[in-house]
Amino acid sequence: MALSFTFISVIWLIFISPLPLISSSSSFSSPPFALKLGSSLSVEKKYDFLFSPNNLYTAGFYHIGENAYCFSIWLTKPLSDGSRTIVWMANRDSPVNGKFSKLSLLKTGNLILRDAYQRLPIWASDTRDSTETAVLRLNNSGNLFLQNRDAKVLWQSFDSPTNTLLPTQPLTKFASLVSSRSLTNHSSGFYKLLFDNDNVVRLVYSDSKLIGVYWPNPELRAWESGRNVYGSKRVAAMDSSGHFISTDDLFFNTSDAGDQPLRKLTLDFDGNFRAYSLDESRGIWQVTWQAISEGCSIHGSCGENSTCSNDPIHGRKCSCLPNHRMINHTDWSYGCEPEFNPTSCGNSEYDFLHLPHFDFWGYDSRYMPNTTLSACKQECINSCSCKGFQFKYDWNKGFSICYPKFLLVNGLSSVNFNGSMYLKVPKNISLSLNNNSVVQGFNLNCSEKPTIQLDRDYDMYHQKESIKFLKLVTYVVGGLEIICIVYFVYGTRSNSSTRGYLQATSGFKRFSYAELKKASKSFSEEIGRGGGGIVYKGVLSDNRVVAIKHLNESRNMQGEAELLAEISTLGKLNHMNLIEILGYCAESKHRLLVYEYMENGSLSQNLQSKNLDWDKRFDIALGTAKGLAYLHEECLEWILHCDVKPHNILLDCNYKPKVADFGLSKLLDRNGTRDMEFTRARGTRGYMAPEWLFVNLPITSKVDVYSYGVVMLEMITGANQSGGSEGRMDSWVREKIVAAGGKNDWVQEVVDSTVIGNYNMSSMRTLIKVALRCCQEDKDARPTMSQVVDMLLHVEDED
Ligand SMILES: *[C@@H]1O[C@H](CO)[C@@H](O)[C@H](O)[C@H]1NC(C)=O
Ligand SMILES: *[C@@H]1O[C@H](CO)[C@@H](O)[C@H](O)[C@H]1NC(C)=O
Ligand SMILES: *[C@@H]1O[C@H](CO)[C@@H](O)[C@H](O)[C@H]1NC(C)=O
Ligand SMILES: *[C@@H]1O[C@H](CO)[C@@H](O)[C@H](O)[C@H]1NC(C)=O
Ligand SMILES: *[C@@H]1O[C@H](CO)[C@@H](O)[C@H](O)[C@H]1NC(C)=O
Ligand SMILES: *[C@@H]1O[C@H](CO)[C@@H](O)[C@H](O)[C@H]1NC(C)=O
Ligand SMILES: *[C@@H]1O[C@H](CO)[C@@H](O)[C@H](O)[C@H]1NC(C)=O
Ligand SMILES: *[C@@H]1O[C@H](CO)[C@@H](O)[C@H](O)[C@H]1NC(C)=O
Ligand SMILES: *[C@@H]1O[C@H](CO)[C@@H](O)[C@H](O)[C@H]1NC(C)=O
Ligand SMILES: *[C@@H]1O[C@H](CO)[C@@H](O)[C@H](O)[C@H]1NC(C)=O
Ligand SMILES: *[C@@H]1O[C@H](CO)[C@@H](O)[C@H](O)[C@H]1NC(C)=O
Ligand SMILES: *[C@@H]1O[C@H](CO)[C@@H](O)[C@H](O)[C@H]1NC(C)=O
């Protein structure tokens, strides 16, 4: 008896125990809970898993396809259909082989995933542990974490979610959820859930061609969707009883809140963000909340040239436009292509196919309010890029609006939509298009369980048709900036020695010093100072009145060719809200620039004047924003103004603003400008963005946005910043808003009561809020100048 027991023990020790024995000290009766330094989990060993102490979660190699494994965490218990619920993956986009692949915890404390024969790891935690005591464990909440003797967590899976958040797992500003490609393909898909630059949690669609926000409703401002952009932290999480809280004021309770089932939040492959509860008895996940109730408001699902319609059974359905065919019959995201030859522009006649109740969201080339159908058609015919237009009557405004489109994406067909789409087609084929029944339907099969019925819907926003904007383009700013600069510096400079060529292209004149001296009556009439020089009024020989700027002499004076190279580029910038450069002079030590003259002087001279009523102030805000947006985006923001202030905003005879002194920051200090790293502390006290004060923060176009915000607040409140007062005006305004406690009467408290005329309350409120956003401490939280323009245009639209 004793002998046979020993025998069995020996057999057990030799044959069975090595398989699950990962933690060397563990007794073989308990399953492995920890991976120690120097050991590994192998893809080949059937029992090489880590379990959570409550056995709810398992971590190990998960078989995702033929000879393809991903290191994952999943729910130990399978669902009723036998499938596993994967909650995290280390290497979703690069699965490893089913042989010789390993997850190893190196002696250094680095956790690495190696594919069969590859030398470099597929994935690594990039951690170090000097105490040599780190252990990898999976805890009862499903968190895989690496912890050392000092109880320091070196790495944890909760910090890098895949497409799922577990209860108590926070979504932070460092992380985002990325959907899977499809129900069966776990690699990264097109949808993301993340904290946007303005601190708001959003859903974003992004593929190689398009990028756009679709939740919360992009036609509404964040605060109109109940979100708060002023939170400085970015954290969102759900607790185990189904209460979700986020720092942007997004709160929701799942429909079964209070109960304690197993829960998860997943960004599904169809782009919807859902909360699920596990129904243990039936072995299925139940949806208990979802971000989007109408499947078609999720962008990107149906690809180009196709439309989405909400389908009660399948959630949504894609259809090609008439006379278009599906490009890839298994995947709608490829979209549809026209069956006719899209004729080359200009040499054919066009007709328009009327598609009532069809809409394509975004990608408008223009916004044409109060227009007629024929004017809209003409506009689309005249524009080569126009693929069609959306036309609808706005009952609130009492006129029709036309939106010509250069891309037909995010299509929607819904009887609730009262506008029409007009598709531009070559005339000779339009005859065969006269019946609309050619629209072919196709199901998306987008939901695991076709009917996702909710006890309670979450839909805070209501449909509102307004100006369609938000071209949320995430520029790869750094890279492009540098490319632009390199292009600019070398592209223009290499040719700058050939003056004749430059003058021919830029069309402005080289003046002699004597000529300018005479024009300005020996520089007698000074009209301004700053931006590196003194400005004088002058009258040229052809009787044109001009402003002549005499640049200060600086130690590292540029040669004429270099000066010319710089200002010729500035001279090519042509925008109604930028001051025009008429010429220059470079003789011995003198460097002068000749500008158009502005009758009404600078904004700073006018701020106290009775002539600047609210309408004019609003126009100035908008015009200045347009000018700066043009500067920033002409070559993806290579020209920063760096000194936006009321002195540099000039007013013409109609009080239309023109931004002056742009580009001089580059001009005046060439040495510092390499890599956009300006010598520090440029600009004017009171208008300078905080990042100027910190050596390690990059200087981007957002410094101008900040200064612009200060100028706007100055225009609104009448406070004067040019004294360089220490008290920040934006803080003052924010305090007033907080003090008002949600009521609107803070507006009266904030605006300058000495300014004559009435203002529209909602416009003013928007204006102030835009200005406050521009003045955010965190540069990423500020909008770009073109977003500012869009927001201000939107204000106008509401009047
Ligand atoms: C698991 O780890 C997370 C993150 O450290 C922690 O919040 C959670 O409380 C842990 N759960 C358990 C059951 O220890
Ligand atoms: C999953 O999708 C990606 C991207 O489209 C593709 O490269 C990959 O081959 C797919 N994997 C499987 C198993 O279908
Ligand atoms: C969620 O539930 C909590 C307590 O059960 C309640 O205080 C809170 O108001 C609820 N939130 C929402 C958005 O319903
Ligand atoms: C269609 O899409 C699938 C999945 O992305 C891909 O495997 C297939 O090659 C595509 N077919 C064509 C004709 O492009
Ligand atoms: C969609 O249709 C336009 C013409 O209307 C065409 O230029 C474009 O290439 C089409 N898109 C795709 C993906 O084929
Ligand atoms: C629309 O345009 C017409 C004619 O151009 C004009 O009379 C009318 O006032 C405009 N309506 C609005 C609301 O601007
Ligand atoms: C669309 O028009 C119909 C009738 O003209 C009206 O009853 C309905 O409310 C409108 N729908 C919307 C969303 O404006
Ligand atoms: C339509 O006209 C264009 C140019 O005029 C021609 O190239 C094309 O073949 C015509 N298509 C049909 C269907 O007649
Ligand atoms: C639509 O047009 C096609 C081609 O002209 C024709 O064969 C078909 O019968 C039409 N369908 C309807 C419903 O009119
Ligand atoms: C999609 O659903 C339809 C109808 O339910 C079915 O016929 C079709 O085979 C499904 N397609 C895929 C790719 O699963
Ligand atoms: C300089 O400009 C001339 C103008 O035509 C052009 O032909 C030449 O290629 C340019 N040189 C460089 C180095 O770009
Ligand atoms: C400017 O750069 C030149 C060469 O690049 C250098 O010789 C000079 O000392 C620099 N001047 C200053 C003020 O840094």
Side-chain angles (χ1 to χ4, degrees):
M1 185 65 193
L3 186 76
S4 70
F5 179 77
T6 314
F7 181 63
I8 290 169
S9 301
V10 169
I11 297 281
W12 170 254
L13 264 175
I14 294 174
F15 291 106
I16 303 166
S17 87
L19 297 176
L21 192 75
I22 292 152
S23 108
S24 51
S25 65
S26 75
S27 76
F28 34 87
S29 57
S30 67
F33 290 128
L35 183 69
K36 296 204 158 172
L37 280 184
S39 44
S40 40
L41 297 175
S42 160
V43 68
E44 286 158 281
K45 298 198 183 140
K46 270 209 182 114
Y47 304 101
D48 257 6
F49 299 122
L50 290 178
F51 297 98
S52 61
N54 60 4
N55 210 15
L56 200 54
Y57 296 98
T58 307
F61 285 94
Y62 187 85
H63 183 235
I64 60 147
E66 181 111 11
N67 195 34
Y69 289 80
C70 289
F71 191 82
S72 316
I73 302 172
W74 62 87
L75 230 58
T76 308
K77 198 173 167 202
L79 298 179
S80 59
D81 61 359
S83 67
R84 305 272 179 177
T85 308
I86 295 177
V87 297
W88 181 80
M89 272 188 174
N91 56 321
R92 68 194 304 195
D93 289 318
S94 35
V96 294
N97 272 284
K99 283 236 180 297
F100 307 115
S101 297
K102 267 184 183 166
L103 179 87
S104 312
L105 182 52
L106 303 183
K107 284 266 192 260
T108 56
N110 197 4
L111 185 65
I112 62 166
L113 177 61
R114 268 220 171 90
D115 191 12
Y117 300 108
Q118 284 190 25
R119 215 165 49 82
L120 289 176
I122 290 286
W123 175 89
S125 65
D126 295 325
T127 44
R128 290 195 75 79
D129 175 34
S130 50
T131 67
E132 300 202 355
T133 54
V135 172
L136 184 72
R137 287 178 216 274
L138 185 59
N139 83 5
N140 283 344
S141 310
N143 187 19
L144 187 68
F145 63 106
L146 192 60
Q147 196 175 31
N148 68 13
R149 187 182 55 196
D150 311 334
K152 187 174 169 217
V153 175
L154 303 170
W155 172 88
Q156 54 182 341
S157 62
F158 268 21
D159 287 342
S160 54
T162 310
N163 62 354
T164 298
L165 288 177
L166 291 170
T168 73
Q169 178 177 5
L171 179 74
T172 65
K173 63 177 161 186
F174 305 110
S176 58
L177 298 188
V178 179
S179 67
S180 298
R181 191 70 173 76
S182 72
L183 194 53
T184 50
N185 185 336
H186 296 281
S187 61
S188 301
F190 301 126
Y191 300 99
K192 276 194 179 132
L193 177 86
L194 42 75
F195 275 100
D196 209 342
N197 283 342
D198 61 358
N199 305 324
V200 171
V201 178
R202 294 185 201 281
L203 287 169
V204 178
Y205 175 84
S206 96
D207 63 16
S208 54
K209 266 166 115 179
L210 309 176
I211 176 163
V213 171
Y214 59 94
W215 179 79
N217 186 347
E219 293 184 6
L220 302 181
R221 298 277 108 71
W223 60 84
E224 291 173 307
S225 310
R227 304 297 189 86
N228 172 17
V229 297
Y230 299 117
S232 52
K233 276 189 165 164
R234 300 178 181 180
V235 186
M238 183 169 75
D239 67 11
S240 53
S241 10
H243 306 291
F244 181 95
I245 298 183
S246 159
T247 47
D248 69 347
D249 286 359
L250 166 65
F251 300 108
F252 66 79
N253 291 338
T254 57
S255 57
D256 61 348
D259 303 348
Q260 301 285 330
L262 195 59
R263 298 175 185 279
K264 64 169 190 154
L265 283 164
T266 301
L267 176 56
D268 286 320
F269 70 94
D270 64 355
N272 209 343
F273 182 49
R274 297 188 178 95
Y276 292 89
S277 295
L278 185 65
D279 182 337
E280 296 253 17
S281 55
R282 288 158 65 203
I284 55 167
W285 286 103
Q286 298 271 24
V287 177
T288 53
W289 176 85
Q290 60 186 356
I292 287 165
S293 48
E294 286 215 324
C296 285
S297 50
I298 298 171
H299 288 173
S301 48
C302 290
E304 203 179 331
N305 300 331
S306 71
T307 60
C308 177
S309 54
N310 290 308
D311 178 305
I313 296 165
H314 299 280
R316 58 188 177 186
K317 191 173 138 178
C318 297
S319 314
C320 281
L321 283 173
N323 275 33
H324 284 64
R325 62 175 164 252
M326 220 178 146
I327 293 176
N328 182 328
H329 278 276
T330 59
D331 191 344
W332 271 102
S333 67
Y334 289 84
C336 305
E337 60 193 354
E339 279 169 343
F340 52 89
N341 261 345
T343 50
S344 60
C345 189
N347 59 18
S348 65
E349 301 215 299
Y350 291 102
D351 217 337
F352 289 90
L353 178 63
H354 182 198
L355 304 169
H357 306 297
F358 275 59
D359 185 22
F360 283 84
W361 195 91
Y363 303 92
D364 310 328
S365 50
R366 283 192 65 185
Y367 164 70
M368 299 170 67
N370 197 6
T371 188
T372 61
L373 185 58
S374 58
C376 196
K377 283 183 173 169
Q378 199 53 47
E379 168 69 24
C380 190
I381 286 171
N382 292 345
S383 158
C384 281
S385 62
C386 182
K387 302 273 194 288
F389 60 89
Q390 196 223 300
F391 190 78
K392 70 173 202 286
Y393 188 76
D394 189 319
W395 287 97
N396 293 328
K397 302 203 177 80
F399 53 66
S400 298
I401 306 176
C402 163
Y403 304 89
K405 309 252 169 207
F406 58 90
L407 198 59
L408 302 181
V409 289
N410 305 326
L412 169 70
S413 111
S414 160
V415 286
N416 293 327
F417 178 71
N418 272 346
S420 291
M421 188 68 206
Y422 287 82
L423 193 64
K424 184 175 167 186
V425 288
K427 199 159 208 161
N428 52 1
I429 67 129
S430 65
L431 290 175
S432 63
L433 287 171
N434 277 339
N435 62 19
N436 287 332
S437 57
V438 282
V439 178
Q440 41 167 305
F442 202 88
N443 298 327
L444 252 185
N445 304 13
C446 53
S447 51
E448 285 180 61
K449 281 135 229 105
T451 38
I452 294 182
Q453 284 298 336
L454 273 183
D455 300 343
R456 259 190 284 156
D457 264 5
Y458 175 78
D459 196 349
M460 286 182 54
Y461 45 84
H462 52 100
Q463 281 296 318
K464 176 182 162 197
E465 276 304 324
S466 54
I467 190 171
K468 303 199 165 183
F469 83 105
L470 212 122
K471 306 158 272 180
L472 194 123
V473 181
T474 8
Y475 295 132
V476 190
V477 173
L480 289 177
E481 248 173 23
I482 289 169
I483 292 170
C484 283
I485 291 167
V486 168
Y487 171 78
F488 164 69
V489 170
Y490 293 98
T492 12
R493 222 211 244 148
S494 57
N495 251 331
S496 62
S497 50
T498 50
R499 190 197 304 159
Y501 166 69
L502 266 179
Q503 272 179 328
T505 55
S506 55
F508 56 77
K509 194 175 161 196
R510 178 175 192 265
F511 293 94
S512 71
Y513 185 68
E515 211 176 336
L516 292 183
K517 193 170 175 187
K518 178 160 171 268
S520 64
K521 303 200 187 95
S522 301
F523 304 106
S524 55
E525 202 178 334
E526 183 179 322
I527 54 175
R529 229 170 232 272
I534 303 175
V535 187
Y536 303 93
K537 187 174 176 179
V539 183
L540 297 180
S541 50
D542 58 4
N543 287 331
R544 264 189 304 170
V545 183
V546 292
I548 299 169
K549 178 162 207 165
H550 201 161
L551 298 181
N552 294 338
E553 290 167 23
S554 69
R555 273 176 299 128
N556 42 328
M557 185 74 78
Q558 292 174 320
E560 179 179 355
E562 263 182 313
L563 178 81
L564 189 51
E566 301 277 16
I567 59 178
S568 71
T569 312
L570 300 182
K572 277 180 217 155
L573 297 176
N574 181 8
H575 189 274
M576 58 186 270
N577 295 113
L578 294 180
I579 197 108
E580 194 184 342
I581 301 189
L582 304 174
Y584 72 100
C585 162
E587 264 179 42
S588 67
K589 275 168 32 183
H590 303 295
R591 299 287 181 270
L592 297 98
L593 297 175
V594 181
Y595 294 103
E596 59 180 322
Y597 178 77
M598 301 292 275
E599 279 84 341
N600 280 316
S602 71
L603 176 60
S604 78
Q605 289 160 354
N606 281 278
L607 271 180
Q608 306 307 327
S609 113
K610 291 265 175 286
N611 287 329
L612 277 195
D613 59 20
W614 286 115
D615 284 347
K616 291 207 182 81
R617 283 174 196 238
F618 190 89
D619 284 350
I620 291 169
L622 181 61
T624 308
K626 284 179 177 167
L628 289 173
Y630 178 83
L631 273 188
H632 289 171
E633 270 143 49
E634 174 66 4
C635 179
L636 295 182
E637 60 180 271
W638 66 264
I639 298 189
L640 309 188
H641 191 294
C642 295
D643 196 10
V644 175
K645 57 180 176 180
H647 310 75
N648 286 335
I649 297 167
L650 306 184
L651 303 175
D652 71 5
C653 50
N654 296 317
Y655 291 92
K656 296 280 177 242
K658 291 195 187 219
V659 177
D661 263 6
F662 50 87
L664 291 191
S665 43
K666 280 171 76 72
L667 206 70
L668 290 172
D669 191 3
R670 280 215 61 83
N671 278 27
T673 59
R674 279 182 34 234
D675 304 332
M676 296 305 269
E677 274 302 324
F678 295 83
T679 18
R680 288 283 152 173
R682 183 177 294 286
T684 306
R685 256 165 86 95
Y687 301 95
M688 265 159 55
E691 55 263 35
W692 284 114
L693 306 175
F694 299 97
V695 179
N696 51 355
L697 289 181
I699 297 303
T700 64
S701 62
K702 296 294 177 69
V703 299
D704 288 349
V705 177
Y706 182 91
S707 311
Y708 171 82
V710 178
V711 173
M712 275 174 83
L713 286 181
E714 186 169 342
M715 261 201 303
I716 295 162
T717 63
N720 188 354
Q721 282 297 291
S722 51
S725 62
E726 285 306 319
R728 297 243 322 250
M729 200 157 31
D730 57 318
S731 325
W732 178 78
V733 175
R734 284 198 182 102
E735 277 161 25
K736 291 280 180 205
I737 295 178
V738 172
K743 293 198 289 292
N744 280 330
D745 49 5
W746 56 267
V747 173
Q748 281 104 329
E749 295 217 13
V750 167
V751 298
D752 184 352
S753 54
T754 64
V755 177
I756 49 164
N758 293 327
Y759 52 86
N760 173 308
M761 183 61 84
S762 73
S763 311
M764 183 59 82
R765 204 163 46 235
T766 312
L767 198 63
I768 296 171
K769 288 199 164 166
V770 170
L772 286 179
R773 278 187 64 190
C774 294
C775 291
Q776 298 262 21
E777 199 72 22
D778 172 10
K779 71 175 169 57
D780 296 331
R782 297 175 209 147
T784 64
M785 261 353 277
S786 54
Q787 283 168 333
V788 170
V789 172
D790 281 336
M791 289 187 263
L792 296 184
L793 281 174
H794 183 77
V795 170
E796 255 190 344
D797 190 47
E798 273 176 354
D799 285 349

